[in-house]
């Protein structure tokens, strides 16, 4: 598929080449998605790098071009892309976007980046620690204090001449629905926050199949030794391909190579409890999916704890958007989300 795109480009068929590179990138991304584990399949780095290479080949064929960027972060950088509405250099409202537990910056192209550009927003997409680029090439794993990730990204965005720093919005997808709100609780330069879908406490997901109270479950998950619980996780992995993938991938992105129980324990620190959600100041949109198989009921929790201007937006099964993050009706969900953002930023002017 990449070879076909290269032939089209050599023949001067830029649109065909662009679309071909996008298809090739997505195929490599899909392959890489299932190669993580403990240890990882030896092919996973190659598949990831080819996905990025193909996406960047496509990015160069857009007008204006989608520009790869490196965002300074601690003693290294985070990879990302800058989407501009045009080449005029006019400061515009800008959407900062990041993916989640198992998604890439490149995937965000289809998950709202281009749709934002169509509506007059510049877009800064990036991979944070634990996400594919930093995990593959720098060994960076997820961290719960996501404000220490977003603040350098906001710093970077504010220094771009065509970004209006007074109109910055942050969007987090899936697990990003707890990461982005966590960041917004401490990073107050944001003019709007969107959680797709909202998540208040990832620890609730970690303990839901562990016997006992929340406190007892946490003790078991964090214990130096819990043979019976370790055996239960191993059994789940042996008999369920979804559980096997989720646990193996989770160990990879959380940097855990001990029993799978410890991977679940790492979830306990990803929470907006203890007054963190209440610290968010900017207008916030919390999205929900009617039949979310992962975080049923969690968006309502986040919404209830917010004290900032807030909106709750549910997407239904009847309209095709009832699944986690609404993949069955992306244009519908994106339209409603960006209409909310349009109205929110206009009201702030």
């Amino acid at each position: 598929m990449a070879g076909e795109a290269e032939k089209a480009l050599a023949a001067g068929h830029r649109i065909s080449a662009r679309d071909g590179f996008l298809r090739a990138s997505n195929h490599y991304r899909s392959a890489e998605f299932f190669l993580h584990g403990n240890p990882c399949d030896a092919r996973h780095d190659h598949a990831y790098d080819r996905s990025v290479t193909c996406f960047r080949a496509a990015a160069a064929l857009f007008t204006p071009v989608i520009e790869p960027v490196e965002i300074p972060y601690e003693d290294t950088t985070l990879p990302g892309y800058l989407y501009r509405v045009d080449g005029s250099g006019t400061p515009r409202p800008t959407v900062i976007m990041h993916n989640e537990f198992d998604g890439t910056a490149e995937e965000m192209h289809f998950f709202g980046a281009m749709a934002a550009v169509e509506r007059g927003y510049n877009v800064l997409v990036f991979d944070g620690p634990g996400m594919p680029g930093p995990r593959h090439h720098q060994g960076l794993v997820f961290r719960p204090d996501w404000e220490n990730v977003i603040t350098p990204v906001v710093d970077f965005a504010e220094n771009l001449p065509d970004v209006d720093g007074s109109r910055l919005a942050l969007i987090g997808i899936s697990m990003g629905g707890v990461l982005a709100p966590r960041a917004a609780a401490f990073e107050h330069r944001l003019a709007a926050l969107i959680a797709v879908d909202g998540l208040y406490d990832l620890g609730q997901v970690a303990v839901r199949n562990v016997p006992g109270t929340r406190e007892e479950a946490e003790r078991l998950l964090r214990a130096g030794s819990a043979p019976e619980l370790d055996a239960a996780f191993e059994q789940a992995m042996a008999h369920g391909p979804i559980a096997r993938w989720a646990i193996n991938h989770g160990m990879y992105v959380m940097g855990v190579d001990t029993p799978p129980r410890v991977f679940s324990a790492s979830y306990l620190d990803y929470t907006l409890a203890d007054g963190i959600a209440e610290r968010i100041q900017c207008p916030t949109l919390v999205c929900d999916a009617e039949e979310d198989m992962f975080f049923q009921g969690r968006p309502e929790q986040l919404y209830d704890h917010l004290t900032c201007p807030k909106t709750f937006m549910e997407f239904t099964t009847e309209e095709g958007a009832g699944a986690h993050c609404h993949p069955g009706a992306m244009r519908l969900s994106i339209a409603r989300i960006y209409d909310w953002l349009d109205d929110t930023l206009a009201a702030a002017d």
Side-chain angles (χ1 to χ4, degrees):
M1 195 167 292
E4 182 176 342
E6 289 165 356
K7 290 179 182 177
L9 183 60
H13 303 300
R14 292 172 58 86
I15 302 301
S16 297
R18 182 196 69 189
D19 291 352
F21 283 125
L22 286 176
R23 289 194 302 273
S25 175
N26 198 48
H27 278 258
Y28 280 117
R29 182 193 64 80
S30 298
E32 185 265 356
F33 187 88
F34 292 104
L35 295 175
H36 299 163
N38 183 34
C40 290
D41 187 295
R43 298 169 293 177
H44 84 296
D45 281 332
H46 171 76
Y48 172 73
D49 288 341
R50 285 294 296 153
S51 177
V52 172
T53 296
C54 290
F55 183 85
R56 292 188 175 190
L61 297 173
F62 280 85
T63 304
V65 299
I66 301 168
E67 179 185 349
V69 296
E70 297 291 334
I71 301 170
Y73 167 75
E74 296 189 345
D75 58 352
T76 183
T77 60
L78 302 175
Y81 299 93
L82 178 62
Y83 293 69
R84 293 183 174 90
V85 174
D86 55 36
S88 68
T90 302
R92 297 182 183 275
T94 298
V95 177
I96 298 171
M97 307 179 72
H98 63 72
N99 219 312
E100 41 101 10
F101 175 72
D102 55 11
T104 68
E106 292 74 24
E107 189 180 5
M108 297 302 289
H109 178 85
F110 308 100
F111 220 119
M114 280 303 298
V117 174
E118 291 173 338
R119 289 163 171 81
Y121 294 95
N122 291 328
V123 178
L124 179 60
V125 177
F126 75 98
D127 272 347
M131 296 172 186
R135 184 65 185 93
H136 276 274
H137 292 300
Q138 293 127 301
L140 298 180
V141 298
F142 275 110
R143 57 186 297 177
D145 54 344
W146 204 247
E147 66 275 13
N148 289 313
V149 176
I150 291 300
T151 289
V153 177
V154 172
D155 291 342
F156 178 83
E158 284 193 327
N159 285 317
L160 296 171
D162 37 12
V163 169
D164 179 350
S166 69
R167 293 187 290 172
L168 290 174
L170 174 62
I171 300 179
I173 307 297
S174 189
M175 183 179 166
V178 69
L179 296 174
R182 162 74 195 218
F186 299 94
E187 175 49 78
H188 294 151
R189 288 175 291 176
L190 299 170
L193 167 68
I194 300 168
V196 186
D197 293 323
L199 181 58
Y200 179 68
D201 182 4
L202 193 55
Q204 292 175 340
V205 177
V207 303
R208 62 187 173 188
N209 294 318
V210 180
T213 66
R214 171 70 182 258
E215 292 74 18
E216 291 168 340
E218 286 199 25
R219 281 198 298 271
L220 277 173
L221 289 170
R222 295 188 189 274
S225 177
E228 292 185 5
L229 193 55
D230 289 338
F233 274 97
E234 294 290 353
Q235 185 175 28
M237 293 172 67
H239 293 92
I242 295 177
R244 182 164 57 251
W245 174 84
I247 291 171
N248 274 324
H249 180 78
M251 294 172 72
Y252 172 68
V253 297
M254 294 293 183
V256 173
D257 57 6
T258 48
R261 162 183 52 83
V262 181
F263 142 67
S264 290
S266 63
Y267 274 0
L268 299 172
D269 298 323
Y270 292 78
T271 180
L272 301 172
D274 301 321
I276 295 176
E278 288 80 357
R279 297 182 62 162
I280 298 171
Q281 298 178 3
C282 63
T284 297
L285 174 62
V286 178
C287 298
D288 187 21
E290 184 180 14
E291 294 186 338
D292 194 318
M293 66 180 292
F294 301 111
F295 302 142
Q296 191 77 44
R298 314 303 180 197
E300 291 94 330
Q301 282 185 301
L302 172 57
Y303 180 81
D304 289 344
H305 278 272
L306 293 175
T307 56
C308 58
K310 59 184 180 178
T311 302
F312 189 82
M313 187 179 289
E314 183 182 39
F315 294 93
T316 69
T317 302
E318 182 179 4
E319 60 198 10
H324 181 65
C325 293
H326 332 293
M330 287 297 303
R331 292 298 285 185
L332 171 69
S333 62
I334 285 171
R336 291 182 186 168
I337 288 167
Y338 285 137
D339 286 351
W340 176 89
L341 184 59
D342 288 345
D343 295 342
T344 297
L345 295 184
D349 288 342

